[in-house]
Amino acid sequence: MLELSGVTRRFGGAWAVDGVSLHIPPGRITGLIGPNGAGKTTLFNLIAGSLRPTAGAIRFEGRDIAHAPPHRRAALGLGRTFQIPRPFAAMTVLENVLLAALHQRGERAFANWLAPRAVAAEERRNIVRAREIIDFLALGRLAAAPASVLSGGQRKLLELARVLMAEPRLVLLDEPAAGVNPTLLETIIERIRELHARGISFLIVEHNLDLVARLCGEVHVMAGGRLLASGPPEAVTRDARVIEAYLGGAA
Amino acid sequence: MIGQILIDGITSGAMIGLGAIGLTLTYGLLRFANFAHGEFATWGAYLAMLGAGAFGGAAPIGALTFGWPLVVALMVAMALTALLALALDAALFRRLRRHGNAIVLVIASFGASLALRSAIEFAFGPEPYYYTTDIAMTLRLAPGLRATADQLVVLAAALVLMLAMHVLLTRTPLGRAMRAVSENPDLARLAGIDPARIVRATWAIGGALAAAAGVFLGVTVQLRPSMGFELLLPLFAAAILGGVGSVPGAMLGGLVIGIAEAAAVPLAGAQYRAAVAFVVLLAMLLVRPRGLFGGRE
């Protein structure tokens, strides 16, 4: 589904991501772990298109996307959330989700004046779908509230809702557990499972190893910008090199 | 007298507001002050004059000084000025956005302003034009309250355009996408919105509204090559007064500036009219630099 080969990104003289090659198979929940500064978020930015690689290839469902702009990647079925979510604060929860719907005629300059009925019908269909997603993510009560009033955990759910509105096939989650209270975390885990059962694949960056162990079939470990180890979570967390990287990073 | 100041002020304020919408939108989206924005009003006004001439001299409508040809020409001029704004962005601003910083864009817009104004002066000469030489009859609305039919129709048309703009921004998917790109372009990209398309829509809308303001100014005052440039200070004052990036703010700011200018004539003398926008702008920057509706920066 997602194929990285030799992906490299330099900032000045430093290699943030250094020759990472990995394969994310379809229909799986894959984990990406590693100490702080390992390059996980940079790798996410490269996959989602916020950054372009210095070298290497990124293929999504066979298509080379290494230099495609982020909005095209979103249209191809690639969604991402952020470690620290930043919704469109001035918009309502519903608007935040609606604007992610793909191929909206109403976003074209003339359609609103030339075909108002078609735009209105499309908007009604999108609102129905957006409300379903918002309800599914337990935000139904807040649909009309401005996104600025949401708690950190609710913002994570809102980001996921926005991503789902674009009907993604692969979702990149950047630390879904960070800063989320335990009750809401259970909701998030349960929803990820449910979406996975519906056929969406996930790549998750996470420090919470419990969440990784519960959700992910395979885990990749990064350290110092390189891929260190790959395998099932229980094997990887016992790997001597991985333990060394974490302890070394802490010391 | 207060009623008269209000009606004159609101009429010119509505035109200032129309022009300021485009200015505030391009600033909100592209983060640069476009000094060529006033020229869109000039071009719109002159294009409408050519159009009205081409469509033939039909009789004036009712008590107005102009006929249907000018109404049709207004729409054509709005469309052509939208294209002019798009062309200017494609030829100049888009290239500079890729490399340059904000100050380069501002200086480039100065240059574009000069070029656009000179082109009009070259084609039409420096002398003023009028859409018609008919005398506009004033209507007595109430004792001591007079307005021309032209003024009232222009005011109504400007308010309708403002309302349409407000509906577009708050009720349509395009408006939603424009607000999203203005608030956070990177996140908008990740949400599947192509900012380049939104930027084009914004230029087209800003250019069209400025053209309408220019035509309305031509109807109620006159056409001169420098009309748009002289409008620029009130436009900036209105945009900053309302809070840069805020469309309702630009509309309200326009009305405040228009009324302040109209009030200056009996209070301070007609020669100080142009200074009023400047004074209001300075006062606002000192007291509340974010403007009435501004939340950012």
Side-chain angles (χ1 to χ4, degrees), chain A residues 48 50 70-71 74 80 82 86-91 95 98-100 102 104 106-109 112-113 119 123 159 162, chain B residues 164-165 168 170-177 179-181 183-195 197-198 201:
Chain A
S50 305
H71 61 87
R80 82 157 289 184
F82 287 89
R86 20 165 218 182
F88 296 105
M91 294 189 194
E95 283 181 316
L98 276 174
L99 78 112
L102 295 173
Q104 297 188 59
E107 280 184 5
R108 305 194 163 271
N112 286 297
W113 314 109
V119 169
E123 182 78 349
E159 282 221 311
R162 197 191 66 231
Chain B
M165 189 61 219
L168 176 82
T170 54
R171 302 281 164 84
T172 70
L174 175 64
R176 189 165 60 218
R179 283 182 286 144
V181 174
E183 187 172 334
N184 186 340
D186 292 331
L187 185 58
R189 266 188 210 102
L190 285 165
I193 296 169
D194 177 4
R197 224 178 63 214
I198 302 303

Side-chain angles (χ1 to χ4, degrees), chain B residues 219-241:
Chain B
V219 168
T220 50
V221 191
Q222 58 182 196
L223 286 83
R224 274 179 298 119
S226 62
M227 61 190 283
F229 186 70
E230 283 159 17
L231 195 61
L232 201 59
L233 185 59
L235 292 189
F236 271 112
I240 291 169
L241 191 63

Side-chain angles (χ1 to χ4, degrees), chain A residues 2-4 20-26 28-35 38-40 43-44 47 170 172 202-207 209 212-213 216-223 226-237 239 241-242 245-246:
Chain A
L2 182 71
E3 191 88 53
L4 308 185
V20 169
S21 299
L22 39 87
H23 173 69
I24 309 292
R28 303 273 181 81
I29 303 179
T30 309
L32 181 62
I33 64 170
K40 307 182 296 290
L43 191 67
F44 260 31
I47 298 171
L170 174 65
L172 314 175
F202 286 90
L203 177 61
I204 305 178
V205 163
E206 188 50 71
H207 283 299
L209 291 181
V212 172
C216 303
E218 193 183 21
V219 174
H220 300 283
V221 187
M222 275 182 82
R226 293 162 188 261
L227 200 62
L228 195 64
S230 301
E234 52 283 3
V236 159
T237 46
D239 190 306
R241 289 169 305 165
V242 174
Y246 267 93

Side-chain angles (χ1 to χ4, degrees), chain B residues 25-32 89 93 97 105 199 203:
Chain B
L25 280 178
T26 39
Y27 187 91
L29 219 54
L30 304 173
R31 298 281 186 275
F32 91 98
D89 185 52
F93 297 134
R97 268 204 303 281
L105 281 163
V199 167
W203 277 113

Side-chain angles (χ1 to χ4, degrees), chain B:
Chain B
M1 194 182 81
I2 295 210
Q4 192 61 46
I5 288 172
L6 278 179
I7 198 146
D8 291 344
I10 289 171
T11 313
S12 72
M15 289 183 251
I16 294 170
L18 268 189
I21 289 173
L23 199 63
T24 212
L25 280 178
T26 39
Y27 187 91
L29 219 54
L30 304 173
R31 298 281 186 275
F32 91 98
N34 176 22
F35 279 83
H37 195 73
E39 310 310 324
F40 295 151
T42 313
W43 274 67
Y46 277 86
L47 286 170
M49 183 173 72
L50 290 183
F55 300 136
I61 311 161
L64 304 176
T65 61
F66 57 90
W68 288 110
L70 189 67
V71 178
V72 178
L74 164 69
M75 291 173 192
V76 174
M78 285 173 74
L80 290 177
T81 310
L83 289 179
L84 173 70
L86 286 171
L88 191 62
D89 185 52
L92 187 63
F93 297 134
R94 194 165 63 202
R95 291 155 193 268
L96 293 174
R97 268 204 303 281
R98 226 170 282 154
H99 310 289
N101 51 25
I103 197 71
V104 172
L105 281 163
V106 171
I107 300 300
S109 77
F110 260 120
S113 165
L114 208 60
L116 289 172
R117 198 175 341 138
S118 302
I120 289 286
E121 196 154 349
F122 181 74
F124 297 94
E127 67 274 15
Y129 280 89
Y130 297 86
Y131 286 128
T132 169
T133 47
D134 287 4
I135 293 166
M137 300 302 286
T138 51
L139 311 171
R140 279 192 59 181
L141 304 175
L145 194 61
R146 290 160 190 280
T148 64
D150 286 356
Q151 262 186 321
L152 296 178
V153 165
V154 157
L155 174 60
L159 293 178
V160 165
L161 282 174
M162 284 187 189
L163 190 69
M165 189 61 219
H166 187 70
V167 169
L168 176 82
L169 269 184
T170 54
R171 302 281 164 84
T172 70
L174 175 64
R176 189 165 60 218
M178 286 170 70
R179 283 182 286 144
V181 174
S182 168
E183 187 172 334
N184 186 340
D186 292 331
L187 185 58
R189 266 188 210 102
L190 285 165
I193 296 169
D194 177 4
R197 224 178 63 214
I198 302 303
V199 167
R200 285 197 296 273
T202 305
W203 277 113
I205 290 168
L209 292 181
V215 174
F216 296 162
L217 203 60
V219 168
T220 50
V221 191
Q222 58 182 196
L223 286 83
R224 274 179 298 119
S226 62
M227 61 190 283
F229 186 70
E230 283 159 17
L231 195 61
L232 201 59
L233 185 59
L235 292 189
F236 271 112
I240 291 169
L241 191 63
V244 168
S246 160
V247 168
M251 300 182 202
L252 192 69
L255 292 177
V256 171
I257 297 291
I259 292 168
E261 281 187 350
V265 176
L267 295 178
Q271 67 270 37
Y272 291 109
R273 185 186 171 105
V276 167
F278 199 63
V279 171
V280 175
L281 176 59
L282 279 179
M284 196 66 192
L285 285 174
L286 288 172
V287 176
R288 190 177 152 81
R290 285 170 171 188
L292 298 173
F293 291 83
R296 262 200 316 262
E297 272 124 24

